[in-house]
Amino acid sequence: MYNCGQIAVIGGGSWATAIAKIIVSHTHHIGWYMRRDDRIEDFKRLHHNPAYLTSVHFNINEIDFSSNLNDIVQRYDTLVFVTPSPYLKNHLKKLRTRLSDKFIVTAIKGIVPDENLVCSEYFHQVYDVPFSNLACIGGPSHAEEVALDRLSYLTVACSDQEKAQAFADVLASNVIKTKTSTDVLGIEYASVLKNVYAIAAGICSGLKYGDNFQAVLMSNALQEMNRFLTVVREMQAKVIDDMPMNRNNAEQPAINDSAYMGDLLVTGYSNFSRNRTFGSMIGKGYSVKSAQIEMEMIAEGYFGTKCMKEINRRMHVNMPILDAVYNILYERIAPQIEIKLLTDSFR
């Protein structure tokens, strides 16, 4: 059975804090990279993250803090990346230590901007990490509910099922139920798209569309996600090398699995969803910039919308909801006009 060894968390936000809480309750020791030394000092003094999920308290003796990414990477076997996707490249620019022999787990629900790659593709192409050493964590899971010990379900995906199960066992508890999958790219793309669709749901809420329409929107979003993931898997199946799936062992997970539909629903409906909140502000008339300033948190769907639009230019999947959100956020088309056009396409 694979052993995850010493585990470190890379990132200091709310989801990183929630994941660190889960891991340390099982292992009683984690490495934790945070960029800012002042945040680390405040954390040690207060015994909780000074900026996120402040109600979650930690035993500081179980945490090896560091603001030196190279130090953490050198000393730990499994690295759980939980940074906002727009900042991943800048964090890794500091890296002088090889990643290819590490087990990389990405809990980043976004795409690396400019590269237009989900995180597993980025680690594989830029840092030569084999797909067998790449895993991702799928939802549905809001950090706030994990912090409150509310029952949550997580999917750990990796082409190496033994490694997926080993990390799933690290996360499992009486309040965290886990399962495994091999659909790494599918779950990563789904986690990006659900943020886009949550923005759409928020925009419609801000425009005073009711629950009846929200249900139709989510139904169409799920169909749109399924169309895109089908094309992704078909393209992936043509690649041989060490990709997690090929024509002989392709996994075709059901779109109504919790990692896809469940994550979409919780992000589209929950008051904890920053992407829905961002969209709601846009629907109420905020500009993108003013909504971002007032939120003080990153809505990854904003960046994901542009990346997915660019990716889909070469895939040519029918994605009217993605197109509508892109037109509102980047082409500055009035939400009232764009959503009205979208509603006319639904049945």
Side-chain angles (χ1 to χ4, degrees):
M1 182 66 181
Y2 181 75
N3 187 331
C4 293
Q6 295 288 304
I7 302 173
V9 172
I10 315 295
S14 55
W15 189 215
T17 304
I19 288 178
K21 176 192 174 183
I22 298 171
I23 295 172
V24 78
S25 66
H26 180 95
T27 63
H28 300 290
H29 175 82
I30 56 168
W32 198 340
Y33 165 80
M34 289 187 180
R35 181 174 55 88
R36 292 171 49 179
D37 286 313
D38 60 329
R39 285 276 171 86
I40 292 175
E41 291 308 311
D42 287 342
F43 203 132
K44 290 178 178 179
R45 177 173 53 86
L46 299 169
H47 290 221
H48 65 71
N49 190 325
Y52 301 95
L53 302 184
T54 55
S55 63
V56 180
H57 284 74
F58 290 82
N59 179 349
I60 300 303
N61 295 325
E62 296 180 336
I63 304 174
D64 170 24
F65 288 106
S66 179
S67 61
N68 186 326
L69 182 59
N70 285 286
D71 176 57
I72 288 288
V73 171
Q74 283 174 353
R75 294 191 293 111
Y76 286 85
D77 308 296
T78 294
L79 306 172
V80 186
F81 282 83
V82 209
T83 62
S85 58
Y87 303 151
L88 180 63
K89 280 179 70 174
N90 282 335
H91 281 299
L92 291 174
K93 281 180 181 177
K94 309 169 189 174
L95 195 63
R96 300 292 179 268
T97 306
R98 190 175 63 179
L99 284 176
S100 57
D101 58 347
K102 303 292 182 178
F103 183 38
I104 306 294
V105 181
T106 161
I108 301 172
K109 299 187 175 183
I111 286 183
V112 181
D114 301 324
E115 305 295 334
N116 290 338
L117 297 170
V118 290
C119 295
S120 66
E121 291 178 308
Y122 184 71
F123 280 114
H124 178 69
Q125 293 187 21
V126 178
Y127 292 93
D128 297 320
V129 181
F131 280 105
S132 58
N133 276 356
L134 286 166
C136 72
I137 302 175
S141 52
H142 282 307
E144 294 81 358
E145 292 202 352
V146 171
L148 293 169
D149 286 332
R150 292 181 178 170
L151 183 62
S152 301
Y153 291 70
L154 299 176
T155 299
V156 178
C158 181
S159 63
D160 186 325
Q161 277 288 277
E162 194 173 297
K163 291 177 181 176
Q165 188 61 59
F167 193 74
D169 291 342
V170 170
L171 300 178
S173 71
N174 61 331
V175 292
I176 301 292
K177 307 297 184 184
T178 61
K179 61 185 292 187
T180 64
S181 170
T182 60
D183 188 28
V184 179
L185 289 186
I187 289 175
E188 284 189 290
Y189 274 115
S191 71
V192 176
L193 285 170
K194 57 93 177 179
N195 285 337
V196 177
Y197 301 142
I199 291 176
I203 291 171
C204 293
S205 176
L207 290 172
K208 303 298 183 183
Y209 283 85
D211 292 344
N212 291 343
F213 177 73
Q214 291 281 355
V216 174
L217 175 66
M218 289 294 100
S219 175
N220 279 268
L222 187 67
Q223 296 171 53
E224 185 170 305
M225 178 187 290
N226 194 38
R227 288 195 297 270
F228 181 84
L229 295 185
T230 297
V231 173
V232 166
R233 292 178 185 129
E234 287 174 351
M235 293 177 66
Q236 185 186 40
K238 295 175 183 178
V239 181
I240 301 176
D241 293 334
D242 66 338
M243 291 289 283
M245 294 181 288
N246 56 45
R247 292 185 184 278
N248 296 322
N249 64 353
E251 176 190 347
Q252 296 296 332
I255 194 65
N256 60 2
D257 188 273
S258 62
Y260 312 96
M261 185 171 76
D263 208 10
L264 169 65
L265 293 178
V266 75
T267 312
Y269 285 121
S270 175
N271 291 329
F272 286 130
S273 170
R274 66 190 69 174
N275 289 285
R276 179 185 167 87
T277 300
F278 174 73
S280 180
M281 295 171 75
I282 299 298
K284 291 175 181 177
Y286 283 72
S287 68
V288 167
K289 187 172 183 179
S290 61
Q292 289 173 323
I293 291 171
E294 186 162 322
M295 280 186 64
E296 297 181 344
M297 296 179 77
I298 292 176
E300 294 213 45
Y302 171 72
F303 302 96
T305 297
K306 184 178 180 181
C307 294
M308 289 303 305
K309 178 71 174 179
E310 292 174 356
I311 289 170
N312 196 42
R313 285 195 175 105
R314 68 174 185 268
M315 293 191 173
H316 308 294
V317 180
N318 178 29
M319 304 186 76
I321 303 174
L322 170 67
D323 293 340
V325 175
Y326 178 85
N327 288 340
I328 292 168
L329 298 183
Y330 289 93
E331 300 295 341
R332 299 185 180 180
I333 296 177
Q336 296 89 338
I337 295 173
E338 196 63 40
I339 297 301
K340 178 61 170 63
L341 293 173
L342 188 63
T343 64
D344 290 341
S345 71
F346 290 166
R347 293 291 181 268

